[in-house]
Amino acid sequence: MLNESKRILIIMLIAISAKVLGFVREIAMASVFGATSYTDAYLIATTIPLVVFASMGESLSTTFIPMYSYITEKRSKDEALNFMNNVLHLLMLVTTSLSILGVLFSKSLVSIFAMGFKGETLELAVSFTNILLPGIILIGINYVFTGFLQANKNFYVTAFIAFPKNIVIILSTVLSYFWNKSILAYGTLLGIASQLVYQLYFALKGGYTYKFQRKLIDSDIKNLGYLIIPVFLGMTVQQLNVLIDKTLASTLSEGSIAALNFADKLNSFVFGIFTAPLVMVVYTIISQLAAKEDWKAFYDTIQKSISFMLLLLIPVSIGAMCLSTPVVKALFQRGYFDERATHNTAIALFYYSIGMTASGFRIILSKAFYSLQDTKTPMFNGIIAIIVNIFLNFILIKPLGHGGLALATSISSIIGAILLFNNLKSRMKCFEERKVLVLIIKAGISSLFMAIGLKISYILFSQAFGSGFLNEIMLLFTCILLGGLIYLFSIVLIRVEEARVLITYLKNKTGAMYFLNNKLDTLKRYIWRIKALHKNIAYPKQLKLLLGVSSPTEDEASKVVYHLISSLPAEKYDITLIAAGGSAIADKAKKYNQNSSSKVNIVVIPSFERGISALSNLKTFFIILKTIYVGKFHIVHFHSFRLGVLGCIAAWLLKVPKILFTVHGWYINESSAYTFFQRLLARIATNIICVSKFDLNKGINKKWINIKNASIIYYGIEKSVFRTPALRRELKISKKIPIIGMLAELDDFDSMAYIMDIFNELKQRESRFKLIIMVSRSQVYKCEMRINELGLSSYVNIICHCRDKPIMINDFDIFSYFSNKEKVPIEVIEAMFAQKPIIANGIGALSELVEEGRNGYIIKEQDVNTAVKNIEKLLKSNHLRKVMGNNGKSMAFRKFSKEKMISEYELLMKI
């Protein structure tokens, strides 16, 4: 779950922005119309389409994603798109029928949904309902495209979906104030349409193609139907909670529905920020774990998800209860929204907040059951909750009015969460409910301290800040910030385990903490300068940096070291390179010294040999020890395992302030002494840098590194790539024939047999292509033999990959990479900068470079047919090659630029 931290954080920030814009919409509506009969009519009209279809849409989205992913994985993307188009066709038939029936019986619908409406309010609600009911069709299509985009991992696109609708509704609200009030209803319909246009644009960009299917109902559609029914019924009863509250509220005083609605929006604002991003990621993780039958990891993920949800939502719930009136007053009290409306909304918010934690708890538990393919348990739980809600509504509405309706909803959520928790506990025999109960008690106690702090701070600061919208917002922000600090201090003080993990997680993963560390480093340097002035301490104008790499060839590690040498500012760093004698990096450093005004000190290790030699290692260790002792370095940074172990131990003994080690892939035998030394290295190094998420996760899982001092810095290369048409001209290849360049880095060419089968199948289909294979000298003969056996000699040219690969890459139309080594190949990044679509096998970190269907395709050994189809599409479509190439280039600029890599290393090098 922590591995997706960056994605969760970004989605959370987008959710906050979307909620803020949603509140601007509500504030505009409250200011223009207040809590009046017009607002009640509009809200009922918008509720009816949602109740008619929202449950079906949510259940469709929940079941569509796994079905679409399954068909893509087991068959092909084309069949998955056919399935999606069938779903759209059936959905349009159903929603169009529902829309027509709704318009014909709109007055009866409004009477059912708002039994207390009469006269002008009833007519107004019927008019708005007739306008908005066709929106059911658009809502249904929107849900399918949301599922499609999420299945293709376009989470950021779907996170922004609320923006176009809210912007259109805000504009419509303003226009309806000056002109006809019906403009707001038409604007809402236009807002739903704008969501569809927005999603359709990104869907087409992501590979969606429309194709009419004659056979609408096939086995896939039937399976989808079986999955939808229980989920639909379960979600319908949740929607009925809201409907029943509003129906009964229509029998109360004017504005009761509006008060419940505004309170529910406020409650959903905070609730959605913390739950939606977490649930989106957790649901994916636990579904995959359930499919793999990795029950230990499944239960552990559920336990952690529940713990973090409780840790976040308990204080939020209590905080909302404490500040219900100030929050409503600051956000809504203006125009027609008077003190009476503020009081009514604050009461509803107080009672809704009681069940906020239980609602989040239930969502996580429901997703756990869905991932186990048990959709009936959440459905029955929802039915029980709705029965409890109806029963409590009639009991509490008399003494508490609309507040009783909100309280009934909260109590029914709590009861439903407890029952669902007991159901899950009976399945998960190893579930530690005692931990959950202890966490609830500790978080509750800490939240009480926070509540006291909130109340006292609000009373003390209210006079100091004064009145006015901005002053009230600043007052609330100050109180919430102070309350949050009190809560954080309390949970740390009473030793909540999840708090420690959360703090460590934020410290290592969020840009905010990097920013804070930056400022702390600046403060330390400032203090050092002050001390230098008073005590005559010499502050170093330059940081002495030792870079170490042992590779004799120009591999990835050598390239990173050379980029650091040539790019780090000479006025800030005095660089020394320690490398093996005769190595490529040592030669390049010497040439750099000849051609540059800034010089690099070079220390050559003649005794550093390949293989394990105690004498060689001892000699190397003393050379490094002497070098560090004489050089008095502030930072040492090693890039090779054996040299890194020896160098880091030497640096640790001499108390070097900053010890860095970059892992360029794991080449460790778990049963050997290397595992021991890697763990030792992880303890003594200040920072362990991995070049991919794959390496980071593997290192953490194997306990080779510690998450506390581990980070990721991707490879970075030059953005400008030299272009030449030499290869095509040299081999006399027509411009009409696409060239596929293949770099094969394999220990045994026989493991590449399935790849050659793919190109043999392309030949059988009479596809036009030229395949250029780059292999090592030792593999050339075997490669030629296999090509001759398949009769591919006229289609294939073999080149030894010792030639300049970046120059050749520019001549290719498609670049393919196949390897059995778990590393990050720089050649793939070079191909991305050169705007080439990528074809690669999915070993190691390649899935972080190649996004399926966006900038290339991942080839699976067990699915040759899909591979052939994908490559054939690239061969036939120059437009598709350009689109994927552009996507790859933008991704390379974003993630793999040299400037980004250097700046991230500089951040770690700060003393």
Side-chain angles (χ1 to χ4, degrees):
M1 184 171 63
L2 295 181
N3 295 333
E4 298 293 334
S5 57
K6 185 178 178 181
R7 180 171 286 173
I8 293 172
L9 179 64
I10 293 172
I11 294 171
M12 197 175 288
L13 292 173
I14 296 171
I16 292 171
S17 304
K19 295 292 183 182
V20 168
L21 188 63
F23 268 118
V24 172
R25 180 197 68 205
E26 297 299 324
I27 289 168
M29 197 176 298
S31 181
V32 172
F33 301 112
T36 61
S37 58
Y38 178 85
T39 312
D40 287 349
Y42 171 76
L43 292 174
I44 283 294
T46 54
T47 300
I48 290 172
L50 287 175
V51 171
V52 169
F53 192 75
S55 298
M56 187 185 294
E58 285 289 343
S59 56
L60 176 63
S61 184
T62 301
T63 52
F64 173 82
I65 295 171
M67 280 285 295
Y68 178 89
S69 301
Y70 176 84
I71 296 168
T72 304
E73 181 71 24
K74 299 297 182 183
R75 293 181 233 166
S76 68
K77 191 169 183 179
D78 289 337
E79 289 195 41
L81 288 173
N82 290 339
F83 163 71
M84 176 181 173
N85 287 322
N86 271 350
V87 172
L88 284 171
H89 295 150
L90 285 172
L91 195 61
M92 284 189 279
L93 285 173
V94 172
T95 51
T96 303
S97 302
L98 288 173
S99 178
I100 293 169
L101 288 171
V103 170
L104 291 174
F105 300 100
S106 56
K107 191 166 186 178
S108 301
L109 270 175
V110 173
S111 298
I112 293 169
F113 280 75
M115 61 180 71
F117 279 8
K118 294 178 181 178
E120 186 182 347
T121 306
L122 177 62
E123 293 301 320
L124 199 59
V126 171
S127 174
F128 286 169
T129 301
N130 287 332
I131 295 168
L132 292 172
L133 271 172
I136 295 173
I137 304 167
L138 302 175
I139 292 169
I141 299 171
N142 267 326
Y143 275 115
V144 176
F145 278 110
T146 299
F148 170 78
L149 290 167
Q150 288 185 358
N152 286 283
K153 298 182 180 179
N154 289 319
F155 295 111
Y156 302 148
V157 174
T158 55
F160 275 109
I161 192 172
F163 281 77
K165 179 183 175 182
N166 284 333
I167 290 168
V168 173
I169 291 177
I170 290 167
L171 293 173
S172 303
T173 303
V174 175
L175 291 174
S176 64
Y177 176 75
F178 292 102
W179 285 285
N180 193 325
K181 290 184 178 181
S182 298
I183 291 175
L184 178 57
Y186 287 109
T188 304
L189 185 63
L190 183 63
I192 298 169
S194 69
Q195 288 182 313
L196 177 57
V197 172
Y198 165 78
Q199 290 200 109
L200 185 59
Y201 169 77
F202 286 102
L204 291 169
K205 196 174 179 182
Y208 170 72
T209 52
Y210 176 78
K211 185 178 179 182
F212 182 77
Q213 301 295 314
R214 291 183 179 180
K215 187 178 180 182
L216 295 181
I217 301 176
D218 54 16
S219 58
D220 292 328
I221 295 294
K222 289 177 182 177
N223 290 337
L224 184 70
Y226 295 141
L227 289 172
I228 280 179
I229 293 170
V231 182
F232 170 69
L233 292 174
M235 290 184 174
T236 300
V237 295
Q238 292 176 24
Q239 291 292 328
L240 284 172
N241 266 342
V242 178
L243 174 62
I244 290 167
D245 285 353
K246 290 182 178 180
T247 302
L248 292 174
S250 68
T251 64
L252 300 174
S253 60
E254 184 184 46
S256 294
I257 294 176
L260 286 172
N261 179 71
F262 289 133
D264 183 56
K265 295 291 183 185
L266 280 166
N267 186 58
S268 300
F269 173 77
V270 182
F271 178 73
I273 288 170
F274 293 107
T275 56
L278 181 63
V279 168
M280 185 187 298
V281 176
V282 168
Y283 185 37
T284 304
I285 293 171
I286 60 177
S287 297
Q288 291 173 351
L289 292 172
K292 294 176 184 176
E293 297 185 358
D294 187 353
W295 302 118
K296 185 179 183 299
F298 177 86
Y299 298 145
D300 185 54
T301 304
I302 295 292
Q303 184 100 36
K304 286 179 180 177
S305 303
I306 289 171
S307 297
F308 280 116
M309 185 74 79
L310 291 172
L311 194 65
L312 291 170
L313 287 184
I314 289 175
V316 170
S317 176
I318 292 176
M321 291 164 67
C322 291
L323 297 176
S324 57
T325 301
V327 167
V328 174
K329 182 181 177 183
L331 294 175
F332 292 127
Q333 190 171 310
R334 60 188 55 82
Y336 286 102
F337 202 98
D338 53 18
E339 290 183 6
R340 183 183 68 85
T342 297
H343 176 72
N344 289 340
T345 305
I347 289 172
L349 176 61
F350 179 88
Y351 288 122
Y352 272 138
S353 299
I354 293 172
M356 186 189 295
T357 304
S359 297
F361 198 44
R362 277 184 73 192
I363 289 175
I364 290 288
L365 295 173
S366 296
K367 295 295 183 184
F369 280 103
Y370 291 147
S371 67
L372 293 168
Q373 298 184 3
D374 179 1
T375 55
K376 292 181 181 179
T377 302
M379 178 190 70
F380 289 128
N381 180 270
I383 293 170
I384 293 170
I386 195 70
I387 292 169
V388 172
N389 186 58
I390 295 169
F391 178 73
L392 291 174
N393 273 338
F394 286 105
I395 293 175
L396 297 174
I397 191 171
K398 289 185 179 179
L400 298 175
H402 69 284
L405 299 176
L407 180 59
T409 300
S410 292
I411 294 172
S412 67
S413 294
I414 293 169
I415 292 171
I418 293 170
L419 293 174
L420 206 56
F421 177 71
N422 287 330
N423 289 331
L424 187 63
K425 191 175 68 174
S426 64
R427 282 197 172 199
M428 295 169 57
K429 302 298 181 183
C430 59
F431 194 87
E432 300 178 47
E433 65 273 15
R434 185 176 175 278
K435 277 190 176 181
V436 175
L437 294 174
V438 170
L439 178 63
I440 290 172
I441 293 168
K442 286 185 176 181
I445 293 169
S446 299
S447 298
L448 288 176
F449 287 126
M450 180 200 71
I452 294 167
L454 282 174
K455 283 292 184 183
I456 293 172
S457 60
Y458 186 80
I459 293 168
L460 292 176
F461 296 149
S462 57
Q463 293 182 347
F465 279 91
S467 59
F469 175 71
L470 289 177
N471 290 333
E472 287 175 352
I473 292 294
M474 288 299 297
L475 173 60
L476 280 175
F477 180 79
T478 304
C479 293
I480 290 168
L481 182 62
L482 183 62
L485 291 173
I486 292 170
Y487 177 73
L488 186 62
F489 178 77
S490 299
I491 58 176
V492 172
L493 191 66
I494 60 179
R495 298 181 180 180
V496 175
E497 173 65 18
E498 288 76 11
R500 183 187 62 78
V501 176
L502 186 62
I503 290 168
T504 303
Y505 162 62
L506 290 173
K507 183 178 179 181
N508 283 279
K509 294 296 179 184
T510 63
M513 290 306 297
Y514 277 124
F515 176 79
L516 185 60
N517 286 336
N518 237 341
K519 297 303 177 186
L520 288 173
D521 286 339
T522 305
L523 181 62
K524 287 177 185 177
R525 293 168 75 88
Y526 175 74
I527 293 169
W528 196 347
R529 288 192 183 98
I530 296 297
K531 286 182 178 180
L533 289 173
H534 291 285
K535 298 183 180 180
N536 296 320
I537 298 174
Y539 184 77
K541 292 182 180 179
Q542 281 185 312
L543 292 172
K544 288 195 169 186
L545 168 64
L546 177 66
L547 294 171
V549 62
S550 63
S551 174
T553 59
E554 191 179 7
D555 61 359
E556 286 81 2
S558 297
K559 288 179 181 178
V560 171
V561 170
Y562 184 75
H563 281 319
L564 290 169
I565 289 170
S566 60
S567 302
L568 289 172
E571 65 275 9
K572 288 177 67 177
Y573 298 95
D574 180 9
I575 301 175
T576 297
L577 171 68
I578 189 165
S583 61
I585 184 64
D587 294 339
K588 286 188 76 173
K590 288 174 185 176
K591 289 180 182 177
Y592 174 79
N593 284 342
Q594 292 171 3
N595 301 323
S596 175
S597 57
S598 57
K599 305 298 178 184
V600 176
N601 306 309
I602 303 171
V603 177
V604 173
I605 308 174
S607 61
F608 202 78
E609 303 166 355
R610 285 287 175 186
I612 299 174
S613 167
L615 182 61
S616 172
N617 287 340
L618 192 61
K619 286 180 181 179
T620 302
F621 176 74
F622 280 112
I623 292 171
I624 297 170
L625 194 69
K626 181 182 177 182
T627 303
I628 295 173
Y629 178 76
V630 173
K632 300 188 185 304
F633 293 100
H634 302 100
I635 309 160
V636 297
H637 186 185
F638 295 99
H639 290 259
S640 304
F641 178 72
R642 190 149 56 100
L643 182 65
V645 171
L646 298 172
C648 288
I649 292 173
W652 178 73
L653 290 172
L654 294 172
K655 297 183 178 179
V656 175
K658 203 85 159 182
I659 303 172
L660 307 178
F661 177 69
T662 297
V663 178
H664 296 274
W666 298 107
Y667 306 104
I668 296 174
N669 182 354
E670 294 181 53
S671 62
S672 71
Y674 282 103
T675 300
F676 166 77
F677 283 113
Q678 178 58 59
R679 290 176 181 173
L680 175 65
L681 198 153
R683 285 183 174 273
I684 62 178
T686 312
N687 287 97
I688 300 289
I689 301 114
C690 296
V691 295
S692 69
K693 287 182 183 178
F694 175 84
D695 287 339
L696 179 70
N697 294 337
K698 186 173 181 178
I700 292 169
N701 292 334
K702 298 291 185 181
K703 298 182 180 178
W704 293 333
I705 59 176
N706 193 330
I707 192 172
K708 290 182 180 179
N709 66 339
S711 54
I712 301 172
I713 298 180
Y714 285 109
Y715 289 141
I717 66 169
E718 297 282 0
K719 295 177 185 177
S720 58
V721 183
F722 179 70
R723 296 180 175 276
T724 175
L727 188 65
R728 186 179 282 272
R729 189 172 59 248
E730 179 186 324
L731 298 175
K732 298 179 182 180
I733 302 171
S734 169
K735 291 182 179 180
K736 295 180 180 180
I737 298 176
I739 299 177
I740 303 173
M742 179 193 295
L743 177 59
E745 294 188 335
L746 302 160
D747 296 329
D748 182 8
F749 193 78
D750 291 336
S751 61
M752 193 180 165
Y754 78 95
I755 301 167
M756 300 312 299
D757 289 340
I758 291 171
F759 288 102
N760 186 43
E761 179 63 28
L762 286 169
K763 185 197 78 169
Q764 300 298 330
R765 296 189 182 195
E766 299 182 354
S767 297
R768 299 182 69 193
F769 67 90
K770 193 72 172 180
L771 178 63
I772 309 295
I773 302 178
M774 295 178 283
V775 295
S776 62
R777 291 185 191 277
S778 61
Q779 299 289 344
V780 171
Y781 178 73
K782 285 187 177 180
C783 186
E784 287 177 343
M785 291 288 290
R786 181 65 178 166
I787 289 165
N788 290 331
E789 285 174 12
L790 295 171
L792 287 169
S793 54
S794 61
Y795 286 83
V796 179
N797 284 81
I798 302 170
I799 297 174
C800 178
H801 68 44
C802 59
R803 292 177 58 172
D804 196 341
K805 285 175 276 189
I807 294 176
M808 288 192 291
I809 284 171
N810 286 295
D811 254 342
F812 302 149
D813 296 295
I814 302 165
F815 181 75
S816 59
Y817 178 86
F818 296 96
S819 174
N820 51 18
K821 299 172 184 176
E822 294 178 346
K823 69 171 192 172
V824 179
I826 281 184
E827 293 82 4
V828 173
I829 301 172
E830 289 170 341
M832 291 165 67
F833 272 115
Q835 295 178 269
K836 309 300 178 186
I838 312 296
I839 299 168
N841 57 341
I843 192 168
L846 279 166
S847 59
E848 295 172 49
L849 277 66
V850 183
E851 292 186 9
E852 181 73 19
R854 181 168 172 77
N855 71 317
Y857 297 106
I858 296 291
I859 302 298
K860 294 169 185 172
E861 187 172 353
Q862 67 275 17
D863 196 359
V864 172
N865 289 333
T866 302
V868 170
K869 286 180 182 178
N870 290 335
I871 296 172
E872 196 172 30
K873 282 192 289 186
L874 284 171
L875 291 172
K876 289 180 178 179
S877 175
N878 185 45
H879 173 71
L880 181 60
R881 294 200 297 271
K882 284 183 178 179
V883 169
M884 285 192 170
N886 288 331
N887 290 340
K889 186 177 181 180
S890 63
M891 183 179 170
F893 270 91
R894 189 174 67 253
K895 291 177 69 174
F896 305 109
S897 69
K898 186 181 79 171
E899 292 78 10
K900 182 175 184 293
M901 180 185 74
I902 297 298
S903 65
E904 288 177 350
Y905 271 118
E906 271 204 275
L907 191 63
L908 287 179
M909 288 177 184
K910 286 190 176 181
I911 300 294

